Structures are given as structure tokens and as C-alpha cells.
Amino acid sequence: MTTPISKNDVIALIEEHDIRTVQIGYADIQGVMRGKYIPARFFVESIDKGVAFCVVALGWDIQCMIVNGLDFSSWANGFPDMLAKPDLSTFHILPWREKTAFVICNLVTEHGDPFVYSPRYILEQVVEQAKASGFTPFMASELEFYLLREDARTPLYGGVQCYNVYKGGEAEFFLGELRESMAKMGIYIEASNTEYGPAQFEVNIRYSDAVDCADKAMVFKNGTKELARNHGLYATFMSKPWYVESGNGYHCHQSLWDLEGKKNLFEGSGHEMNDVMKNYLGGLLKYARDLQALAAWSINAYKRVAEYSYAPTRINWGEDNRTTGARAIMGGTASRLEYRVGAAEANPYLYLAANLAAGLEGINSKLSPPEKIVGDGYAEGTGELLCTSLDQAVSFFEKSKLPKNYFGEKFVDAYVTICKHELDEARKFVSEWERERYLEFT
């Protein structure tokens, strides 16, 4: 999605494809795609100056309930505007909507300064720190989702048939179109398969530089939901839709390359991990709990953290081991780390920024990882436990110095405020489980 393109090139594409509408989008703090639909002629007029949005678009929760206590978005400051300026390198024709194009925007203040609460800006800043140290981070997203029927929002088919080609054929009418549509957007799905739940699927998106990787994950998630709707279906990246079924994870594959992007600096000798990769892994694990709130922001996400579920529960690592929090893949130029803690609903920009910041800190501090786990990574004594609730994760995040150093104090304060709002809303809710348990006998 990061093909350099000029304003004149965009105008030519609009004319060539008879584009009537341009959908502009950006990620809010919880990872929802927000934006506007703009007639093409007015989009062209706005390319240089940007499109105004009320700052509340980053100051509410996933259900658009206003979060109190945010400095940048409040009744006290009157909810001023911010501007969304299109990054023309992300401009593409939408395959699933006629005469429509799409572009990702950067958020700036009315004075043209970067909007420091923007998730894309947060990741860009961490990438700049990596480049200042001589590294180009390459990352890839591995995402899981459920495909549901529209009427009752139940899985498209029942039963667990992971990697079953025959069963996967039942959804190929959708997945085939998804792969082809994403390819037209420059998002290349290297593989897709049935996963460990009924009508649950996993996709592997080809690696690219960190910001481009996050852009692609955002577009993929939103596009998957839009394509599903075109077929009268729902797609959900919710972490744990059902207690008895597998959760949806977000595995981040990552490596550091030289500034020219030609040499993988994780490449070691055989199965020996070099110092760059070792120190990066040391940071990834040391700060796992400090940054877990960015990998899993919802109440529901922590219900995915369960033993023997293929979701990690401990801060540990192993070589090609899917029971650990981090999986080291030693393969010459393909050497990389797969971080398995993320929930599928995570904001891609913030999740990738968290991974990269922890890894860079590990390199800067020359941290070493613990001994690798051989065998069962869920077993007692194989590492400290990850956070099992958002409350616990926010406490680690708020007390840690690392987020403030890499993301800025303003963003950290805002993110903590939004997470605490989420916790407050959950505490108020009375569930069916509570009624069934207490109503009759109390």
C-alpha cells in the first residue's frame, strides 16, 4: 500500500476509474476505522488542506460513548477540530464497492502539528527511533476471525476442522474473494485456512515495513467485515465470542533489517540466535506485562488467556513452539520472532508499536531472554504469568516508564483513561450469568 503517488496521479486515477466517492479513514485509539465518504471532486480539493473531524472521534469508546477526563477532548474545551490529511501512498480503488476509492489519513492539529494521540503517529515515532539506531523493522500480521450468519450471528458452519481443505471449501466463496480483493489493494495474503473453532479462519498477510504492515491490517480487518456484509454475513475479530470455542489472536511476526532493507539483522548461524535478536527478544519478554494493555485493550480479550488453548499464558519463549508467548523461527534470512500475546481486536498501530518499543529497549539495555522452553510452555515453572485482566494490565502499563519514553506522557495518560472507562462500564453491567446465579436465592 505504500507506492509513492502524487496528487496528479490520484486525480488521473479518479478520472480513469470514474471514481465518484473517496472513503477516507484512520484508526481511533481502540482500533475502529473512523472516517468520511467524500465526493471525489471535494476530496481533490481537500488533499492539501485536509478534512476536519471533531477530536471526539479519538475521545470516545467503541460504542461512541464520550470518555470523561481526556485533556484533548472534553466539554471544557468545546471539542475542537483536528484535520485528517490523506497519505496518498495508501490511495487505492476499492474492489468491493463500485466507483469508490480509499485512502488512509494522518491526523494533525488545526495548526498542522502532528496529533500526538493518533495511533498511526505513535507507531511512526517508534519506527523513527528504530531507524535512528540503524534498523528497519519488518513485520507481518497473522489474524484470526469468525465468519457468522447474519440472522442469529452464529458460526457459518459447526464443528472444529482446523486445516481441513474440504470444510474450508464451504467458505471459499468468501475467502477467495477476500484474497483477490485484498491483492488489488496491495495486501497480499500468503495463506488462509480454517482454524480451531467453527467457521474460524486465519490469514497470513505478507510482511512489509512496520507502518505499512499496520495500515494493511487495519484495511484488512475493515474490508473483511465489509465483504462479509456484502454476502449477508458478519465477520468478527472479537477475542472470545464463546466460552467453549477458540479465541481470536493476533500474532505479530517481526525482524530488524539494515536501513536499506537488504540484510536481516536477526540472521544468525544455524539455530544460534545472534545478539540483536537475543536482546530484542529479551525486551519483548521483559516488558510483556507492561505493554499487554496495548496488545489486548478489551475486557473480553483476557478471557482468551487460557491454558492449553494455543493462546499463551506465560512470559516465555521457545524455538518453533506454539505453547509459548514468543516463538523464535530460525531460518536464515527468514529468521524472525512471532509474538503471540495479541488479541485479534488489538489496534494494529499500537500493538506493533508496543512490540517494537519493547524490542528496541531490549537492544539498548542489552537484555537477555530467559532460557528457552522445550516442550510444554503452559506448565508450572516455565515463566511468569501474563496479565489475566484488563485491570491488571492497565496497572502495569500506567506504572511502567517504557510507554512514556516511547509513546509520550500525553498519549499514555489518554490511553489509561480510556481503558479505565472501559473497566467502569463493565463494572456497571448486570449480566445474565448474575441473574441466573443470584436472582432466585437472594
Side-chain angles (χ1 to χ4, degrees):
M1 292 186 66
T2 54
T3 304
I5 191 169
S6 70
K7 180 177 178 180
N8 288 337
D9 291 333
V10 167
I11 293 171
L13 281 171
I14 288 173
E15 292 175 351
E16 177 186 351
H17 294 273
D18 191 24
I19 297 299
R20 308 291 178 82
T21 304
V22 179
Q23 177 186 330
I24 66 172
Y26 56 88
D28 72 6
I29 290 177
Q30 290 182 320
V32 176
M33 182 77 81
R34 305 288 181 185
K36 293 184 179 183
Y37 292 81
I38 302 177
R41 57 173 292 193
F42 294 117
F43 169 76
V44 171
E45 290 180 8
S46 71
I47 286 176
D48 296 321
K49 62 183 178 181
V51 177
F53 282 82
C54 176
V55 294
V56 75
L58 288 188
W60 53 35
D61 64 17
I62 197 168
Q63 294 288 351
C64 294
M65 179 182 292
I66 293 172
V67 177
N68 293 318
L70 295 173
D71 290 339
F72 70 91
S73 171
S74 69
W75 300 105
N77 72 359
F79 298 105
D81 274 346
M82 59 184 177
L83 296 174
K85 300 193 73 171
D87 178 346
L88 298 184
S89 70
T90 68
F91 185 91
H92 279 83
I93 310 302
L94 274 185
W96 52 81
R97 188 175 295 124
E98 291 186 357
K99 301 182 185 297
T100 304
F102 171 80
V103 68
I104 290 175
C105 291
N106 287 314
L107 299 178
V108 300
T109 68
E110 288 183 292
H111 304 293
D113 300 318
F115 198 66
V116 298
Y117 304 95
S118 163
R120 194 172 193 245
Y121 174 76
I122 294 297
L123 177 56
E124 287 174 335
Q125 294 304 107
V126 182
V127 169
E128 285 304 309
Q129 293 183 61
K131 289 184 175 179
S133 297
F135 304 124
T136 299
F138 282 151
M139 294 181 159
S141 298
E142 186 178 302
L143 283 155
E144 296 166 342
F145 65 94
Y146 277 93
L147 197 57
L148 313 177
R149 298 182 184 278
E150 183 178 29
D151 52 358
R153 299 197 183 185
T154 55
L156 181 65
Y157 62 76
V160 177
Q161 286 295 332
C162 190
Y163 296 136
N164 189 314
V165 174
Y166 166 74
K167 199 65 179 176
E170 290 188 30
E172 187 59 16
F173 71 93
F174 170 76
L175 288 167
E177 183 181 352
L178 178 65
R179 292 192 303 269
E180 292 173 9
S181 296
M182 290 299 158
K184 291 176 183 177
M185 296 280 288
I187 302 170
Y188 299 105
I189 296 174
E190 294 187 326
S192 61
N193 60 271
T194 56
E195 250 300 330
Y196 206 60
Q200 185 188 32
F201 301 93
E202 178 185 84
V203 298
N204 303 85
I205 301 173
R206 186 167 179 79
Y207 72 89
S208 58
D209 71 78
V211 176
D212 184 55
C213 174
D215 286 344
K216 287 174 176 174
M218 274 301 302
V219 174
F220 170 79
K221 290 171 74 174
N222 190 69
T224 299
K225 296 174 82 68
E226 290 199 20
L227 269 174
R229 185 174 56 196
N230 288 350
H231 286 279
L233 301 169
Y234 281 96
T236 182
F237 294 86
M238 181 179 175
S239 294
K240 192 73 170 174
W242 299 279
Y243 165 69
V244 295
E245 303 295 355
S246 179
N248 287 322
Y250 185 165
H251 303 158
C252 176
H253 292 251
Q254 53 208 286
S255 55
L256 296 179
W257 292 57
D258 62 13
L259 290 177
E260 290 72 35
K262 294 181 179 179
K263 180 175 175 55
N264 183 355
L265 302 180
F266 278 10
E267 183 178 355
S269 175
H271 287 262
E272 289 297 318
M273 195 178 289
N274 67 22
D275 287 342
V276 175
M277 187 177 186
K278 187 182 297 181
N279 294 156
Y280 189 101
L281 175 59
L284 205 57
L285 296 178
K286 178 178 174 61
Y287 296 103
R289 287 183 298 201
D290 290 25
L291 298 174
Q292 196 174 342
L294 295 176
W297 62 262
S298 76
I299 302 291
N300 177 261
Y302 294 84
K303 297 179 180 180
R304 173 180 165 268
V305 183
E307 290 188 341
Y308 301 102
S309 64
Y310 290 107
T313 59
R314 293 182 180 272
I315 302 169
N316 52 20
W317 75 280
E319 186 176 344
D320 199 13
N321 190 331
R322 288 181 170 85
T323 70
T324 54
R327 172 176 168 241
I329 302 165
M330 312 300 292
T333 57
S335 294
R336 62 194 186 275
L337 293 168
E338 178 194 24
Y339 195 58
R340 301 173 57 79
V341 174
E345 69 218 34
N347 182 319
Y349 298 104
L350 300 181
Y351 180 42
L352 269 57
N355 278 250
L356 184 55
L360 291 176
E361 188 65 19
I363 291 172
N364 293 337
S365 302
K366 292 183 168 55
L367 299 177
S368 293
E371 289 295 317
K372 73 177 179 182
I373 301 301
V374 178
D376 184 359
Y378 292 108
E380 188 73 28
T382 58
E384 293 184 275
L385 291 169
L386 287 161
C387 297
T388 55
S389 70
L390 179 60
D391 209 343
Q392 185 185 15
V394 170
S395 178
F396 274 98
F397 183 76
E398 188 173 17
K399 293 173 183 175
S400 176
K401 293 180 181 178
L402 184 125
K404 296 181 178 68
N405 292 340
Y406 281 86
F407 315 136
E409 194 163 346
K410 288 183 177 180
F411 173 81
V412 170
D413 288 346
Y415 194 78
V416 168
T417 299
I418 290 172
C419 287
K420 287 183 176 179
H421 163 88
E422 195 76 10
L423 289 163
D424 287 342
E425 289 305 303
R427 290 188 186 104
K428 296 174 189 174
F429 183 73
V430 179
S431 68
E432 188 61 33
W433 181 88
E434 290 171 284
R435 279 188 287 272
E436 288 181 1
R437 191 169 183 86
Y438 303 122
L439 188 67
E440 182 177 357
F441 301 108
T442 58

